[in-house]
Amino acid sequence: MSEVEHKEPPVANELKDYIEDGKNKMIVKCKFCGSKILDKNSATFITLQEQLPLMLQDSKQEGEVQSETITDFYHVENMFTFENIGFTHTVANYKYLSCADCDAGPVGYYNMDTKHSYVAISRIVQGDN
Amino acid sequence: MAKTYDYLFKLLLIGDSGVGKTSILFRFSEDAFNISFISTIGIDFKIRTIDLDGKKVKLQIWDTAGQERFRTITTAYYRGSMGIMLVYDVTNEKSFENIKNWIRNIEENASADVEKMILGNKCDLEAKRQVSKERGEQLAVEYQIKFIETSAKDSLNVESAFYTLARDIKAKMEKKQEASNPAGARSGGGHQLRANEQQRKPTSWLSRCSLL
Ligand SMILES: Nc1nc2c(ncn2[C@@H]2O[C@H](COP(=O)(O)OP(=O)(O)O)[C@@H](O)[C@H]2O)c(=O)[nH]1
Ligand SMILES: [Mg+2]
Ligand SMILES: [Zn+2]
């Protein structure tokens, strides 16, 4: 047990209520429609430095994809762990994740090489049901 | 890690270009000023978790991305699929006639026991209709496949269609299991199925389209 704890990344204060033993304590849901994305206790908290495209792209700024850096993720090793989720077509070895019910996204990404998925915590909500 | 579901079914949406396959999978509508990143790239597949008679069933639902234009859908694409939604457009006669060709394509390329269902989509466009609901039903009877009219635009019958297909696949699998293991499987099946039927999918069955 203590071994596992060493490997866990430090959890920022505002996330402490949501993470227990390195896992999501609550249900992960879509911010917009509440669709259930992950069951309790099914994903592992991880910190990374990843660029994720913004959900809404300003149509006036043609060509370039507008992104932001995101650090806090839930790591999902098997895609069938997801309750409800959409996978986009592949772009440069990634698929982006979207809400299966309202199509909002990206709420995270999927790496084609490792076949692991990462859900951006800032783009979802967490709750008891 | 322990498996947290009972069944995993891979399902495909098949049919002519323009019948609404992508719309069945993707519902987002956007305004003129903001472009959704997701809709620019498009959805490849969705994973949905449903409850069927107390069993947790994962559906992996795949869109057909462009291949349909050339009818180049071959064995590789069908591999592993357990259910196929055959979609036509009720405002497009040709797409209806082509369902027969799609069925032939499936027979030639997919696994023999793949479960099929026919969807007559765009049933919200009553004024433009070219294919009556009766003709859809006749075709379904001819091939002994289930049939329902849908509107991806109004989200009519889409969800219940997937429940129906999934339930039929599950029933087929349980039948197979029962055949190979007669004693064990008997306790589960039949009566449970009926008990849950009523609380299941409610209003959408009674939609405009299916009452026509
Ligand atoms: N009115 C109506 N239009 C639909 C419906 N489903 C799809 N469409 C429209 O039909 C066109 C083709 O749909 P699409 O999903 O791209 O078809 P696909 O080529 O089979 O993927 C698009 O303009 C959709 O908006 C529907 O149920 N009702
Ligand atoms: Mg399409
Ligand atoms: Zn949503």
Side-chain angles (χ1 to χ4, degrees):
Chain A
M1 202 57 222
S2 60
E3 246 186 69
V4 176
E5 273 163 19
H6 280 301
K7 281 189 220 143
E8 281 170 21
V11 177
N13 265 332
E14 70 264 27
L15 289 175
K16 285 230 159 77
D17 290 342
Y18 298 110
I19 294 157
E20 195 169 70
D21 298 332
K23 301 218 151 195
N24 62 307
K25 200 169 151 187
M26 295 182 192
I27 291 170
V28 172
K29 298 180 291 184
C30 171
K31 260 188 186 180
F32 300 94
C33 75
S35 174
K36 185 175 175 184
I37 295 173
L38 284 168
D39 215 343
K40 291 175 191 179
N41 221 20
S42 64
T44 310
F45 176 68
I46 189 171
T47 54
L48 305 161
Q49 291 272 330
E50 287 291 339
Q51 290 282 113
L52 205 60
L54 300 180
M55 292 204 188
L56 287 177
Q57 300 282 319
D58 186 341
S59 57
K60 279 169 285 183
Q61 284 174 265
E62 271 172 51
E64 207 169 312
V65 175
Q66 300 132 48
S67 315
E68 64 178 340
T69 302
I70 293 183
T71 54
D72 296 340
F73 290 90
Y74 283 129
H75 176 201
V76 176
E77 285 192 21
N78 180 336
M79 66 162 75
F80 298 113
T81 300
F82 284 105
E83 293 291 305
N84 298 287
I85 196 78
F87 284 71
T88 65
H89 293 293
T90 308
V91 184
N93 229 29
Y94 291 111
K95 285 180 180 295
Y96 293 95
L97 307 178
S98 60
C99 172
D101 281 294
C102 75
D103 297 310
V107 294
Y109 67 95
Y110 168 82
N111 183 323
M112 295 289 289
D113 289 331
T114 61
K115 303 205 181 324
H116 291 185
S117 304
Y118 300 87
V119 175
I121 295 179
S122 61
R123 297 208 181 169
I124 50 88
V125 291
Q126 304 180 67
D128 277 325
N129 48 47
Chain B
M1 203 161 79
K3 207 165 109 181
T4 57
Y5 51 89
D6 299 297
Y7 293 105
L8 169 61
F9 299 155
K10 179 183 168 186
L11 311 179
L12 302 181
L13 288 156
I14 298 283
D16 281 7
S17 178
V19 297
K21 300 180 298 297
T22 297
S23 307
I24 284 170
L25 205 58
F26 186 73
R27 285 168 208 172
F28 196 83
S29 59
E30 49 199 328
D31 62 54
F33 305 103
N34 292 302
I35 298 165
S36 146
F37 176 78
I38 298 294
S39 63
T40 311
I41 297 173
I43 298 290
D44 196 12
F45 62 87
K46 281 186 177 175
I47 292 170
R48 286 188 171 281
T49 306
I50 64 173
D51 179 276
L52 282 184
D53 317 312
K55 298 277 190 227
K56 196 167 184 178
V57 180
K58 301 262 173 185
L59 306 179
Q60 187 186 34
I61 309 168
W62 291 79
D63 192 8
T64 318
Q67 303 101 315
E68 76 269 37
R69 235 167 272 256
F70 316 101
R71 236 179 256 126
T72 49
I73 295 179
T74 53
T75 313
Y77 187 75
Y78 288 114
R79 187 162 298 137
S81 66
M82 298 149 100
I84 296 175
M85 289 292 192
L86 285 149
V87 190
Y88 70 90
D89 171 356
V90 301
T91 72
N92 180 337
E93 174 73 33
K94 188 81 193 140
S95 73
F96 177 69
E97 287 164 13
N98 273 336
I99 289 290
K100 293 191 177 187
N101 296 328
W102 283 115
I103 290 175
R104 196 174 320 127
N105 189 282
I106 291 167
E107 282 167 353
E108 284 165 6
N109 293 292
S111 134
D113 62 353
V114 67
E115 198 66 37
K116 297 181 279 295
M117 184 163 177
I118 299 175
L119 303 185
N121 190 41
K122 306 196 191 179
C123 70
D124 57 288
L125 296 175
E126 204 43 59
K128 289 190 178 171
R129 183 188 280 273
Q130 293 183 355
V131 184
S132 70
K133 193 180 164 223
E134 288 68 31
R135 290 175 63 207
E137 284 166 349
Q138 273 167 25
L139 182 71
V141 168
E142 192 182 319
Y143 284 97
Q144 302 198 353
I145 299 175
K146 280 191 185 162
F147 163 73
I148 195 167
E149 288 197 340
T150 57
S151 166
K153 182 164 167 271
D154 297 346
S155 288
L156 267 178
N157 290 344
V158 171
E159 199 181 334
S160 50
F162 282 106
Y163 268 87
T164 302
L165 185 61
R167 183 173 282 113
D168 289 349
I169 296 169
K170 178 170 167 281
K172 188 180 261 181
M173 286 182 67
E174 284 171 348
K175 221 167 154 184
K176 258 195 212 161
Q177 276 166 13
E178 203 167 334
S180 60
N181 176 20
R186 198 149 290 160
S187 54
H191 71 281
Q192 266 189 355
L193 218 125
R194 213 153 291 126
N196 275 6
E197 201 83 31
Q198 273 166 333
Q199 77 203 48
R200 193 76 289 139
K201 285 298 111 176
T203 47
S204 38
W205 284 113
L206 302 169
S207 67
R208 250 185 0 225
C209 293
S210 34
L211 281 181
L212 280 172

